[in-house]
């Protein structure tokens, strides 16, 4: 909107992510920072291609396509994957294909990039405050320049941090984490943490409602919240219980 120099340079296509790629390889032109020094030229170009694809894949504009591709991968290849996890196969054949390996790298980096909702709660909560403050700072600049303030960026909004986090987890992060956990059972812990954190945000929101005298029908609001929390817990539990059962049966996982 502001016709910022960075947006113009990268033609409005993932400007921040493109900048990250460019800065990384600019830094690596200095020998003391060049972790790829000594690699053959062909390997250097291959690694560069992988790194660029992975970083560009962290742009949230690709989020739902990413979730869809993970679920499709699971539907097609889950038998082969689980045979490897349970020790019935020596390899996961599909990973011999370079393009498939690149896909997995993109999925893993994107999942890590949005990791604060499934970190242990004392870390999750700190990052939630930092992220919201970053959004609000952007909203302040948008208002200052006369632009419409983007959704979630208005610090004058009455939405509570708890509601914002539950919404983000439920509609953005849970589909991604569920897809990743069922495809890669070794990631079970992030699903368990996500379920626990959603419950903690819900309990904190119940406390807010209980202490908010502007809410006339507190009992109805609390019941709605409990129902939402139970539904979320049920959705996550199906995947978590399935993988937990596999872990008990096959310790290799």
């Amino acid at each position: 909107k502001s016709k910022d120099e960075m947006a113009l340079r990268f033609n409005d296509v993932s400007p921040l992510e493109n900048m990250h790629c460019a800065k990384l390889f600019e830094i690596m032109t200095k020998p003391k920072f060049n972790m790829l020094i000594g690699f053959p030229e062909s390997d250097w170009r291959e690694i560069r291609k992988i790194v660029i694809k992975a970083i560009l894949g962290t742009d949230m504009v690709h989020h739902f396509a990413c979730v869809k591709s993970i679920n499709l991968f699971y539907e097609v290849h889950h038998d082969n994957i689980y045979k490897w996890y349970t020790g019935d196969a020596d390899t996961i054949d599909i990973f011999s294909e370079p393009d498939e390996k690149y896909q997995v790298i993109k999925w893993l980096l994107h999942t890590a990039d949005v990791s604060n909702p499934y970190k242990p709660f004392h870390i999750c909560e700190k990052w939630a405050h930092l992220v919201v403050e970053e959004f609000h700072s952007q909203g302040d600049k948008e208002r200052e320049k006369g632009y419409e303030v983007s959704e979630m960026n208005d610090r004058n909004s009455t939405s509570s941090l708890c509601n914002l986090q539950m919404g983000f987890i439920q509609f953005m992060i849970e589909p991604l984490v569920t897809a990743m956990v069922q495809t890669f059972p070794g990631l079970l812990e992030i699903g368990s943490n996500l379920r626990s954190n959603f419950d903690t945000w819900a309990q904190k929101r119940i406390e807010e409602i209980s202490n908010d005298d502007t809410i006339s029908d507190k009992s109805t609001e609390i019941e709605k919240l409990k129902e939402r929390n139970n539904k979320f817990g049920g959705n996550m539990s199906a995947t978590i219980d399935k993988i937990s059962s596999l872990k008990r049966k096959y310790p290799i996982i």
Side-chain angles (χ1 to χ4, degrees), residues 30-205:
K30 299 176 176 62
K32 66 178 180 178
F33 299 130
N34 186 1
M35 68 186 80
L36 301 181
I37 197 165
F39 276 71
E41 178 71 11
S42 59
D43 289 349
W44 185 91
R45 291 193 176 280
E46 188 69 12
I47 293 168
R48 173 172 160 79
K49 181 169 69 174
I50 294 170
V51 168
I52 290 172
K53 284 184 176 181
I55 293 176
L56 294 183
T58 63
D59 188 340
M60 287 300 288
V61 73
H62 305 304
H63 176 79
F64 292 108
C66 176
V67 174
K68 185 177 179 179
S69 65
I70 300 168
N71 283 324
L72 178 60
F73 181 87
Y74 173 76
E75 289 176 17
V76 175
H77 301 294
H78 69 274
D79 284 342
N80 190 207
I81 292 171
Y82 278 43
K83 282 180 181 178
W84 181 83
Y85 269 111
T86 58
D88 292 333
D90 294 330
T91 61
I92 301 175
D93 294 338
I94 190 62
F95 290 156
S96 64
E97 301 291 333
D99 287 346
E100 295 297 341
K101 288 192 283 191
Y102 298 162
Q103 280 279 80
V104 173
I105 291 170
K106 284 172 59 177
W107 299 339
L108 289 169
L109 187 59
H110 177 53
T111 304
D113 194 41
V114 291
S115 63
N116 63 291
Y118 61 75
K119 293 287 180 64
F121 190 77
H122 70 282
I123 299 174
C124 165
E125 185 176 25
K126 289 180 181 178
W127 276 110
H129 283 283
L130 290 169
V131 168
V132 168
E133 180 53 37
E134 181 180 336
F135 289 168
H136 287 171
S137 295
Q138 179 177 326
D140 293 343
K141 290 185 178 181
E142 290 171 333
R143 185 180 290 107
E144 178 185 322
K145 291 180 176 293
Y147 302 139
E148 181 181 355
V149 178
S150 301
E151 188 177 0
M152 296 194 302
N153 289 4
D154 190 351
R155 70 170 67 251
N156 299 323
S157 169
T158 57
S159 294
S160 77
L161 178 65
C162 300
N163 277 337
L164 288 172
Q165 291 305 301
M166 285 189 291
F168 184 58
I169 289 173
Q170 191 167 15
F171 299 110
M172 300 293 287
I173 304 305
E174 186 273 335
L176 173 65
V177 167
T178 296
M180 288 295 286
V181 168
Q182 70 179 1
T183 305
F184 305 104
L187 296 177
L188 174 64
E189 184 179 0
I190 72 174
S192 301
N193 283 353
L194 190 70
R195 181 176 63 178
S196 174
N197 289 348
F198 189 91
D199 179 69
T200 302
W201 286 120
Q203 298 308 317
K204 284 180 169 291
R205 179 56 184 156

